[in-house]
Structures are given as C-alpha cells and as structure tokens.
Amino acid sequence: MLDNRDNRNLSDVFKELQEIQKTQSADSKKHTHKKMPKVKKNFAFHFHTNTSYKNSDLQLSHIIIGCSVLIIGLAVFFPKNTSFTQSYAKEETIEDISEYELNRHRLNMQSIISENADMDRVKEQITEEREIEFITEYTNNPTLPKSEEIIKQEGVLGKENVTAIKTYENGEFVEEIILSKEKLVDPVSKIIDIGTSEFLAKHKVHIGDTMYFVDTSNLKETPDSNSKDIAEVKKSLDVKLLELPNEEWCKVSFDNIEGYIKTANLTSSYTTPNIVEKNRIQRLLIKVNIDMELNRTSGLTLNDYKKIFTGLPKDKNKIFQDNYTAFYNAEKKYNINGIFLASIAIHESGWGTSQIAVDKKNLFGYGSYDATPYESSFEFENYSEGIETVAKSLVKYYLNPSGTKIYDGETAAAWYYNGPTLKGVNTRYASDDQWHEKVFKYMETLYNRLQS
C-alpha cells in the first residue's frame, strides 16, 4: 500500500511506478498462461469518494493514463486529503508480495501540484500620472538658536506620466518595468533653516524678543567698542533684540533708539528670572525727575508702598509706616502721585515729629498761616483723614487745568494752577522758592527704596 505522508513530488512517484512496472513485466513472463490466483489482500487506488479499481492484469500504459487522470482531477478540485493505495496481484505467495515495502506515509498531492504546475502569469502595460517626491534642503541660520529648525519653504510634490509593464502572478504584483517617463510639474524643494547661535540658545530667545541689560551701559552707533555712544541704558532695563550680526555684538532698540551692544551685557527672563520685576521697578525710576507730572498715579503697587514705607530710618514714630495704605488709596481715588503726597508730608512735618503733626494729626500744616502756624492749622481725627483732605485740595486747585474732570463728578477749579509739576505747585503752595527741590529729594529717597 502506498500511503505517503511525506510531501513527495511527481518524480518520486513515477520512479516508484517504473519499479513496479519492471517487477510486473518479469512476473508476466513467468505466468503468461496462468490464471491469477485468489489473493488474501486487495490492493487498489482509493479516493475519498470511496471509488476503487481492481485489475489484475494492469499494464504500464493503463497506470500512466490513470495517474494523469488523477493529477488533472486533483488540479481541478484540490481536495485537501487525497490518498491512494496501489497493489498488484501476483501469483506468488504473500511472502513474495512482502518484497514491496508498505509505505504508510500519505502523499500530499496539493503540495506536489503547487510545486510542479505552471503559475498563472499576467503582464499588462499601463500609463498613469504619478507624484514626484521633493527633496529637503538644510541651511545654517546664525540668527536662530542653535539646533532649532524652522521650515522656510514647504516642499511641493511634482507630477509625471509613467508608462510601465506590470507583471502579476496568481493575481499578486511581482515586478514593474518602466518604459518611459514624461515630467508634467517639477517638484519644489523643502527648505529648512537650522540655527547655529549659541547666544540665542543659551538665553532661549529669538530675534524680536525682549532682553535686559546686565549693567548700565551705552548703546553704540556701530558694533565696535570705539564707535560713538548713542544712549545710556540703565541696569535691568529692557530692550528689543533686532539683529545678531555675530555672536559678540547685537543690535537692539531702547525706547525707539536703535544701537549696538555686546551680547555679554544682555540677559533674558529665562536666564535671570527676577529680571522682569527689576525691570518694572527700573522703568518706574527712570520716570522720576523734578519735572515729572504729578496729576497721575505713580504706577506703584500696594506692596511697593509697603516696601517703601516699612523701616524708614527717620520715621521714628512709625507714622508713615502705619499709614502707607492711606497714601496708596488717595493716589488711586484722586489720581495723584502718592509718593509726591507723602514727600510733602515728610517735608512739612519733619518726618511726623512737628507739634502740629503730633497734636493735630496734621502732617502737612494744612491751613497754617505764617503768622499763626499752629493756631490756624487744621486738626484731624486721624492721619488718613488729613492725607485725603490735602489730596483732594491739590487735585482741585493746584494740579489740573480748569474744567478737568476729577473726583465725585466735580471739575478742577484750578485757582492756583501753574502746571502739574513740583515747580508749578511751588508757585502758590509755599513761600519758599526752593520748596520744590526739597520735596523732590524726599521723593527720590522714597523711590530708591524700591531697589533695596
């Protein structure tokens, strides 16, 4: 019985059939006129359809035809488990038949057919429009932080007509042979700038960002230490970064004044986190001058007021420390510079030590006449009442032109108005011609405490 479970191919099968044919031919010569005896076992080709064929005088030609039919049938129907058994009845005894070793391994006919049958191979010619890939170009950019990439130009795919031969086997694509190409649209390269500036990378800034001066320095006309000075910039002040001609110098803008400064003299909020607060204070301080307008708020916060008035060395009675909120509230309510208001109080009361200040809670000598200063001065229930009264008076009569809208729906009377500056107030407020200079010195003292 041939029961092949190995995956033998057709060549092996036919070799076995030839061996059988040689043996059968020899037996035929021995028993030409003998009747085939009855054998104890039957050998035949078996299909899973349970059809068997018996023929004791099977010739080689019949065997070959049968195998051919078998292979064609399997190629058409592809049964999964097809096996056959073959035997040849002979007149010898069972011991002679045993010379043909029984093969108990089933033949895998589907595998044999797949290995030996021709594949279904199809070719076709096509012409189609295809995309052309663009290339990516990289350029160094010294005005970008090192290693940072910016797409300067987006890439665009091109187009072309392609004629080709495509080959398929069993419905699957195998290969393609290009016959010709016709370009329709050129691709556009993608351009990427790669930054090389270590200065920008260190401070994590870009051209156009805000940077700050490390020390007070002068802007130069050109990127040269010997060039002309354009403007002085105080420590911690902010500038706008305009250009970076090299890693040593950069061009900046300070309050619309453009000039060059060494990169070593600049920092950023990333490198120096507290520089932003220092810049805010510095911006306030550069506006402090004897000709500054006083009919507007100082721009200081309540915490700034607390910092200024807490621990003043000459505030022995802590009057100003205890009333800093009153100066701040007057500023916000009446649109007056509160530091100017406090400086008048310090100057007129000798840091709150005058008898009028102590007895009458009047820090300004408000209402006093030169002939009878103590008697004619106003008395208040507390210091904050006197602070608010003087603030209203200055706003209504000294600091604003006539008709200016002020507090509580009122307008400025401007009886003593000579400009919103210290010198303008001095004209009618005090008989001392140097009064405005003395008051300004106190203002500077208070403002400078913001830097401590």
Side-chain angles (χ1 to χ4, degrees), residues 19-30:
E19 291 297 327
I20 293 171
Q21 186 246 350
K22 289 178 183 179
T23 303
Q24 185 180 24
S25 175
D27 290 342
S28 295
K29 290 177 182 179
K30 274 184 176 183

Side-chain angles (χ1 to χ4, degrees), residues 167-327:
T167 301
Y168 300 87
E169 287 184 355
N170 290 336
E172 294 186 2
F173 174 77
V174 176
E175 66 176 349
E176 177 183 76
I177 299 174
I178 303 295
L179 300 180
S180 65
K181 292 182 180 180
E182 180 187 1
K183 188 178 291 184
L184 302 176
V185 179
D186 287 327
V188 177
S189 298
K190 184 177 184 178
I191 300 177
I192 298 178
D193 278 1
I194 302 178
T196 60
S197 174
E198 294 184 359
F199 165 72
L200 296 177
K202 173 185 175 181
H203 296 291
K204 292 193 180 302
V205 293
H206 297 83
I207 300 300
D209 286 350
T210 298
M211 298 196 76
Y212 306 87
F213 267 46
V214 174
D215 291 305
T216 299
S217 185
N218 292 317
L219 291 181
K220 296 290 185 177
E221 189 174 34
T222 63
D224 184 347
S225 298
N226 297 320
S227 67
K228 179 182 177 182
D229 292 339
I230 296 178
E232 183 184 71
V233 181
K234 297 288 185 181
K235 177 181 178 179
S236 302
L237 282 176
D238 59 298
V239 293
K240 183 178 180 180
L241 186 61
L242 299 179
E243 296 176 11
L244 189 66
N246 53 60
E247 288 291 286
E248 184 181 0
W249 288 88
C250 61
K251 187 177 184 180
V252 299
S253 173
F254 170 68
D255 293 346
N256 296 321
I257 301 172
E258 296 183 2
Y260 292 87
I261 188 70
K262 284 190 173 183
T263 55
N265 200 34
L266 292 177
T267 188
S268 67
S269 58
Y270 171 81
T271 310
T272 313
N274 64 348
I275 196 69
V276 176
E277 175 62 14
K278 289 182 177 181
N279 172 69
R280 183 185 71 85
I281 298 301
Q282 195 63 257
R283 279 289 177 183
L284 292 171
L285 294 179
I286 63 173
K287 296 177 182 178
V288 176
N289 59 78
I290 199 168
D291 295 319
M292 64 189 297
E293 294 183 350
L294 305 171
N295 58 348
R296 60 189 62 191
T297 59
S298 65
L300 300 175
T301 65
L302 182 59
N303 283 334
D304 292 335
Y305 268 84
K306 183 178 180 180
K307 183 176 182 179
I308 289 171
F309 291 100
T310 299
L312 283 164
K314 294 184 178 181
D315 185 20
K316 296 179 179 179
N317 297 327
K318 298 189 183 311
I319 293 174
F320 292 91
Q321 178 174 308
D322 294 341
N323 289 278
Y324 74 87
T325 56
F327 290 108

Side-chain angles (χ1 to χ4, degrees), residues 37-43 90 92 94-95 97:
K38 184 177 182 182
V39 294
K40 295 180 180 180
K41 290 187 179 180
N42 292 324
F43 294 81
K90 301 194 296 182
E92 286 80 13
I94 297 301
E95 287 74 16
I97 297 174

Side-chain angles (χ1 to χ4, degrees), residues 305 308-310 312-316 318-321 324 327 338-354 357 362-365 383 387 390 429 435 438-447 449:
Y305 268 84
I308 289 171
F309 291 100
T310 299
L312 283 164
K314 294 184 178 181
D315 185 20
K316 296 179 179 179
K318 298 189 183 311
I319 293 174
F320 292 91
Q321 178 174 308
Y324 74 87
F327 290 108
I339 301 301
F340 158 64
L341 191 62
S343 297
I344 296 177
I346 292 170
H347 175 66
E348 298 293 348
S349 68
W351 287 96
T353 61
S354 70
N362 185 343
L363 294 172
F364 302 89
Y383 289 111
I387 291 169
V390 173
Y429 189 87
W435 176 88
K438 297 172 183 177
V439 171
F440 181 68
K441 286 182 179 180
Y442 290 118
M443 289 181 67
E444 284 186 311
T445 298
L446 296 178
Y447 269 111
R449 286 178 59 81

Side-chain angles (χ1 to χ4, degrees), residues 223 285 305 392 398 436:
L285 294 179
Y305 268 84
K392 292 169 67 175
Y398 291 88
H436 64 288

Side-chain angles (χ1 to χ4, degrees), residues 57-110:
D57 297 318
L58 191 61
Q59 298 298 317
L60 177 60
S61 62
H62 295 156
I63 293 172
I64 295 173
I65 293 172
C67 288
S68 300
V69 172
L70 174 62
I71 292 170
I72 294 171
L74 290 175
V76 174
F77 296 104
F78 288 94
K80 291 184 178 179
N81 296 307
T82 304
S83 66
F84 65 84
T85 307
Q86 72 177 11
S87 76
Y88 300 90
K90 301 194 296 182
E91 297 182 34
E92 286 80 13
T93 62
I94 297 301
E95 287 74 16
D96 294 330
I97 297 174
S98 66
E99 293 179 7
Y100 303 105
E101 182 181 357
L102 295 177
N103 190 339
R104 302 185 184 279
H105 300 289
R106 181 177 299 174
L107 288 170
N108 189 330
M109 298 305 297
Q110 183 172 351

